[in-house]
Amino acid sequence: MKPVKPLSPAYDWIIVGGGLVGASIAYGLIQKQPQSRILVLDGSDTDYRASVGNFGLIWVQGKGHNFPAYANWSLQGADLWPQFAQQLSFQSQIDLGYQRQGGLEFALSQSHLNTLSEEMAAIADHTQGAFHYNVLNREAALALQPGLGEAVVGAIYSPQDGQVNPLYLLLALQKASQLCGVDYQSSCRVDTIEVLGHGFKAAGFVGKKILLCAGLDNQRLGKQLAMHLPVRPVKGQILITERTDLGMLNYASPQLLQTAEGTIQVGGSYEHMGLDDRSSLDIMSSIAEEAVAVLPNLSNLKLVRSWGALRVMSPDGAPIYQQSQQYKGAFGVCCHSGVTLAAAHAGPLSNWLLNSLNEDPLDLIEAMSNERFSI
């Protein structure tokens, strides 16, 4: 990727952070305003990157059961994905591995299944019935996914869930954006942001508007622009098996997912360990044990690699979409659902940044500002 020289003429937008959130919004902005000048300042490969360490789920189940705006926003985002994937794949000539065959979340106890059922009912209520799901007993779950272990008492099924290859998604967003004219600067750490009379200056670049999509760094950078962006790291670990026959898993789930290449992804940990993204044997063992309890045939497969990654989590788990009240033209986006909401970020959220939105999405986005937190 061709580097950009600092101190170039002012950009219309400087986006700090080139992960899935920043890349999705850059892609959306350049689609809506092809003549605009957009610069993405990305970090280095050694930075904490949820975009290259996540599960790749496009997931509606569980999102916003206690936050109606987030529930509706997640569902809208998932519904926008088919057209988004088709357009992005065409422009980038990259197969995203996108599927929307539905998703299952397995329960290993009746109490867990009851809790999931209550959460799904709340989401259906929040979305006026637009969210569809079924609570499955063991027999019904077996009919959808043969080979389940004896410990599985049931599952939740939703036809509105899906999956994608997150690495191909990020590559496609970066490629398509640059083909459309977005400038991209890699290995560019932003330590300070200077407020100018006509805009902002970051890492030697000048822009009329600035958007923070820097993940865990948003809290530090947000303070410089008078924005309260409270985020914390929550680690998740993932195991990858050797390749096996496609079709071993019929549906994606938060516990198990089969990629288009045939490997099985195993995950599901939530750890509060600060900025420690290392794999740990005890958590890996726990994840593997639960996976084998769900699908015993996994015990015949070899593990080939594992990793840990840090989620960018707000206090209530929902996104934060914020415009600085003190500095016009400064915005912040914090989100751990970068895959699920990629189409929404490229679509309605980009319109919000351009001050061009109708009433419905506008209300959802404004409900997810930082005003819901006690500062």
Side-chain angles (χ1 to χ4, degrees), residues 159-362:
Q160 292 160 308
D161 295 322
Q163 67 185 77
V164 71
N165 185 312
L167 300 179
Y168 291 159
L169 171 60
L170 180 59
L171 179 62
L173 286 167
Q174 292 178 343
K175 180 180 178 182
S177 295
Q178 290 176 72
L179 286 173
C180 292
V182 172
D183 288 335
Y184 178 89
Q185 181 72 48
S186 63
S187 301
C188 186
R189 176 177 170 82
V190 175
D191 291 309
T192 60
I193 297 173
E194 184 179 350
V195 179
L196 308 175
H198 55 284
F200 306 89
K201 183 177 179 182
F205 300 95
V206 176
K208 299 174 184 176
K209 297 181 180 180
I210 192 162
L211 173 63
L212 302 183
C213 300
L216 295 171
D217 255 0
N218 265 6
Q219 183 161 290
R220 173 180 64 85
L221 294 172
K223 292 178 180 178
Q224 300 179 29
L225 296 171
M227 286 188 289
H228 178 58
L229 302 175
V231 290
R232 69 187 191 284
V234 178
K235 181 165 68 173
Q237 296 188 43
I238 293 176
L239 312 178
I240 305 294
T241 74
E242 63 184 321
R243 297 186 183 191
T244 187
D245 293 336
L246 291 174
M248 184 174 183
L249 285 169
N250 295 336
Y251 301 92
S253 81
Q255 299 107 321
L256 301 167
L257 178 152
Q258 187 163 25
T259 68
E261 293 76 25
T263 61
I264 305 291
Q265 291 185 180
V266 183
S269 69
Y270 289 81
E271 307 165 65
H272 300 274
M273 302 291 291
L275 297 177
D276 179 3
D277 64 353
R278 296 172 296 178
S279 297
S280 57
L281 186 58
D282 57 337
I283 298 298
M284 291 169 61
S285 299
S286 176
I287 292 172
E289 183 178 357
E290 179 174 334
V292 171
V294 172
L295 202 65
N297 284 341
L298 289 176
S299 61
N300 299 320
L301 299 178
K302 296 178 181 178
L303 293 177
V304 295
R305 61 186 180 276
S306 69
W307 64 78
L310 302 181
R311 301 176 181 89
V312 180
M313 197 68 69
S314 70
D316 59 9
I320 303 172
Y321 303 121
Q322 188 62 36
Q323 181 174 7
S324 175
Q325 300 302 309
Q326 184 171 341
Y327 302 112
K328 185 179 179 181
F331 300 83
V333 173
C334 306
C335 175
H336 86 278
S337 299
V339 175
T340 299
L341 295 176
H345 288 162
L349 188 75
S350 296
N351 284 328
W352 173 71
L353 292 168
L354 296 171
N355 197 27
S356 174
L357 251 192
N358 62 35
E359 185 175 331
D360 179 31
L362 179 62

Side-chain angles (χ1 to χ4, degrees), residues 27 31 84-97 167-180:
Y27 174 74
Q31 299 298 309
F84 169 73
Q86 183 179 26
Q87 176 180 310
L88 181 59
S89 295
F90 175 77
Q91 288 181 320
S92 66
Q93 293 299 293
I94 294 173
D95 183 356
L96 307 180
L167 300 179
Y168 291 159
L169 171 60
L170 180 59
L171 179 62
L173 286 167
Q174 292 178 343
K175 180 180 178 182
S177 295
Q178 290 176 72
L179 286 173
C180 292

